Amino acid sequence: ELKVEQNPLFLSMQEGKNYTIYCNYSTTSDRLYWYRQDPGKSLESLFVLLSNGAVKQEGRLMASLDTKARLSTLHITAAVHDLSATYFCAVDRAGTYKYIFGTGTRLKVLA
Amino acid sequence: DGGITQSPKYLFRKEGQNVTLSCEQNLNHDAMYWYRQDPGQGLRLIYYSQIVNDFQKGDIAEGYSVSREKKESFPLTVTSAQKNPTAFYLCASGQSSYEQYFGPGTRLTVT
């Protein structure tokens, strides 16, 4: 059974600090997705990682994928309050159209 | 504008009533999906459809039904057999097995 685990589940950090969110998955997959969700809202796509070693950056966020380790990271650089949200990773089950979502990481950036 | 629409945004129903949630997309995507999200939780797949007139059960299909008569539309019916229907329902669409795009969601409350 494919499992996707994120840690930490909750993260409270000061503005200006750096931190990394981890996403581990239990079976082979070459594609991993990161989404952001604001309270009461839908999911917004952040990054699509399609191969081993893929690295994408947008503003203060950088995502990477290591398919051999079955690990993706979302690194936050110099956090600002606007980054406060819940972040989900999702892995698609090989050979299917289906995603499995991680549990989510609720990030709160304190001013 | 291309996108996914869901209606209504909020829906209130009495226990024992069936209710249908609408999802429409004009992105010309082949695949469409329905997810359920409970408070503080990740997303769980209810049903998905890869082509018109075909759909498959996801992980939590019991008590739900869908149809896919048109490429643009994928309505979800929450039946009275669903034991705990109160949740946030998200529709998504995608092309092939790549990135999924999410609608704004419908918040269903059953009392």
Short mmCIF file of all heavy atoms in Angstrom, two decimals, chain B residues 36 45-47 57-65 77-79 81-84:
data_model
loop_
_atom_site.label_atom_id
_atom_site.label_comp_id
_atom_site.label_asym_id
_atom_site.label_seq_id
_atom_site.Cartn_x
_atom_site.Cartn_y
_atom_site.Cartn_z
N ARG B 36 -12.49 14.07 -0.93
CA ARG B 36 -13.12 14.52 0.30
C ARG B 36 -12.02 14.94 1.27
O ARG B 36 -10.97 14.27 1.37
CB ARG B 36 -13.92 13.36 0.90
CG ARG B 36 -14.42 13.63 2.30
CD ARG B 36 -15.12 12.43 2.89
NE ARG B 36 -15.41 12.68 4.30
CZ ARG B 36 -16.56 12.40 4.87
NH1 ARG B 36 -17.55 11.82 4.18
NH2 ARG B 36 -16.74 12.65 6.15
N LEU B 45 -9.46 10.15 -2.07
CA LEU B 45 -10.07 10.03 -3.38
C LEU B 45 -11.38 9.25 -3.31
O LEU B 45 -11.41 8.13 -2.79
CB LEU B 45 -9.09 9.31 -4.32
CG LEU B 45 -9.53 9.12 -5.77
CD1 LEU B 45 -9.69 10.47 -6.46
CD2 LEU B 45 -8.52 8.27 -6.50
N ILE B 46 -12.44 9.84 -3.86
CA ILE B 46 -13.75 9.20 -3.85
C ILE B 46 -13.98 8.43 -5.15
O ILE B 46 -14.22 7.23 -5.16
CB ILE B 46 -14.88 10.23 -3.66
CG1 ILE B 46 -14.64 11.06 -2.38
CG2 ILE B 46 -16.23 9.53 -3.59
CD1 ILE B 46 -15.62 12.22 -2.23
N TYR B 47 -13.95 9.14 -6.27
CA TYR B 47 -14.11 8.57 -7.59
C TYR B 47 -13.21 9.33 -8.56
O TYR B 47 -12.88 10.48 -8.32
CB TYR B 47 -15.56 8.72 -8.08
CG TYR B 47 -16.48 7.57 -7.77
CD1 TYR B 47 -17.34 7.62 -6.68
CD2 TYR B 47 -16.52 6.44 -8.59
CE1 TYR B 47 -18.19 6.56 -6.40
CE2 TYR B 47 -17.39 5.39 -8.32
CZ TYR B 47 -18.21 5.45 -7.22
OH TYR B 47 -19.07 4.41 -6.94
N LYS B 57 -13.92 3.61 -8.89
CA LYS B 57 -13.96 3.92 -7.47
C LYS B 57 -12.57 4.28 -6.97
O LYS B 57 -11.57 3.69 -7.37
CB LYS B 57 -14.48 2.71 -6.69
CG LYS B 57 -15.93 2.38 -6.96
CD LYS B 57 -16.37 1.19 -6.12
CE LYS B 57 -17.83 0.87 -6.39
NZ LYS B 57 -18.29 -0.29 -5.58
N GLY B 58 -12.57 5.24 -6.05
CA GLY B 58 -11.34 5.55 -5.35
C GLY B 58 -11.28 4.78 -4.04
O GLY B 58 -11.81 3.68 -3.92
N ASP B 59 -10.68 5.42 -3.04
CA ASP B 59 -10.47 4.74 -1.76
C ASP B 59 -11.68 4.75 -0.84
O ASP B 59 -11.77 3.92 0.07
CB ASP B 59 -9.29 5.39 -1.03
CG ASP B 59 -8.01 5.31 -1.84
OD1 ASP B 59 -7.70 4.21 -2.33
OD2 ASP B 59 -7.35 6.34 -2.01
N ILE B 60 -12.61 5.69 -1.05
CA ILE B 60 -13.74 5.83 -0.12
C ILE B 60 -15.04 6.02 -0.89
O ILE B 60 -15.82 6.91 -0.62
CB ILE B 60 -13.52 6.99 0.88
CG1 ILE B 60 -13.25 8.30 0.14
CG2 ILE B 60 -12.37 6.68 1.83
CD1 ILE B 60 -13.39 9.52 1.05
N ALA B 61 -15.34 5.15 -1.85
CA ALA B 61 -16.48 5.35 -2.75
C ALA B 61 -17.83 5.00 -2.13
O ALA B 61 -18.88 5.41 -2.65
CB ALA B 61 -16.28 4.52 -4.00
N GLU B 62 -17.85 4.27 -1.04
CA GLU B 62 -19.11 3.82 -0.48
C GLU B 62 -19.99 5.00 -0.07
O GLU B 62 -19.56 5.91 0.65
CB GLU B 62 -18.88 2.93 0.74
CG GLU B 62 -20.16 2.31 1.29
CD GLU B 62 -19.89 1.32 2.41
OE1 GLU B 62 -18.72 0.92 2.59
OE2 GLU B 62 -20.85 0.97 3.11
N GLY B 63 -21.25 4.97 -0.54
CA GLY B 63 -22.19 6.04 -0.21
C GLY B 63 -22.17 7.20 -1.19
O GLY B 63 -22.88 8.18 -1.00
N TYR B 64 -21.38 7.09 -2.24
CA TYR B 64 -21.27 8.12 -3.27
C TYR B 64 -21.55 7.51 -4.64
O TYR B 64 -21.34 6.32 -4.84
CB TYR B 64 -19.87 8.73 -3.30
CG TYR B 64 -19.43 9.41 -2.03
CD1 TYR B 64 -18.63 8.74 -1.11
CD2 TYR B 64 -19.79 10.72 -1.75
CE1 TYR B 64 -18.21 9.35 0.05
CE2 TYR B 64 -19.38 11.34 -0.59
CZ TYR B 64 -18.59 10.65 0.31
OH TYR B 64 -18.18 11.26 1.46
N SER B 65 -22.00 8.35 -5.58
CA SER B 65 -22.11 7.92 -6.97
C SER B 65 -21.75 9.09 -7.87
O SER B 65 -21.83 10.25 -7.48
CB SER B 65 -23.53 7.42 -7.28
OG SER B 65 -24.46 8.48 -7.19
N THR B 77 -22.91 12.59 -6.47
CA THR B 77 -24.09 12.49 -5.61
C THR B 77 -23.69 11.84 -4.29
O THR B 77 -23.08 10.76 -4.29
CB THR B 77 -25.21 11.68 -6.28
OG1 THR B 77 -25.64 12.37 -7.45
CG2 THR B 77 -26.39 11.50 -5.34
N VAL B 78 -24.01 12.52 -3.22
CA VAL B 78 -23.80 11.99 -1.88
C VAL B 78 -25.13 11.38 -1.46
O VAL B 78 -26.13 12.08 -1.32
CB VAL B 78 -23.37 13.10 -0.91
CG1 VAL B 78 -23.05 12.52 0.47
CG2 VAL B 78 -22.17 13.87 -1.45
N THR B 79 -25.16 10.08 -1.30
CA THR B 79 -26.42 9.42 -1.01
C THR B 79 -26.65 9.31 0.49
O THR B 79 -25.73 9.53 1.30
CB THR B 79 -26.46 8.02 -1.64
OG1 THR B 79 -25.63 7.14 -0.87
CG2 THR B 79 -25.99 8.04 -3.09
N ALA B 81 -26.80 6.76 2.05
CA ALA B 81 -26.01 5.62 2.57
C ALA B 81 -24.65 6.06 3.10
O ALA B 81 -23.98 5.29 3.81
CB ALA B 81 -25.81 4.59 1.48
N GLN B 82 -24.25 7.28 2.80
CA GLN B 82 -22.96 7.78 3.30
C GLN B 82 -23.14 8.14 4.77
O GLN B 82 -23.91 9.04 5.12
CB GLN B 82 -22.52 8.99 2.48
CG GLN B 82 -21.36 9.79 3.06
CD GLN B 82 -20.14 8.97 3.45
OE1 GLN B 82 -19.63 9.07 4.56
NE2 GLN B 82 -19.66 8.14 2.53
N LYS B 83 -22.39 7.45 5.62
CA LYS B 83 -22.63 7.54 7.07
C LYS B 83 -22.27 8.90 7.66
O LYS B 83 -22.89 9.36 8.61
CB LYS B 83 -21.80 6.47 7.78
CG LYS B 83 -22.21 5.05 7.42
CD LYS B 83 -23.42 4.63 8.20
CE LYS B 83 -23.74 3.16 7.98
NZ LYS B 83 -24.65 2.97 6.87
N ASN B 84 -21.27 9.53 7.14
CA ASN B 84 -20.79 10.78 7.72
C ASN B 84 -20.45 11.75 6.60
O ASN B 84 -19.27 11.98 6.31
CB ASN B 84 -19.56 10.50 8.59
CG ASN B 84 -19.13 11.71 9.38
OD1 ASN B 84 -19.89 12.67 9.53
ND2 ASN B 84 -17.91 11.69 9.88
#
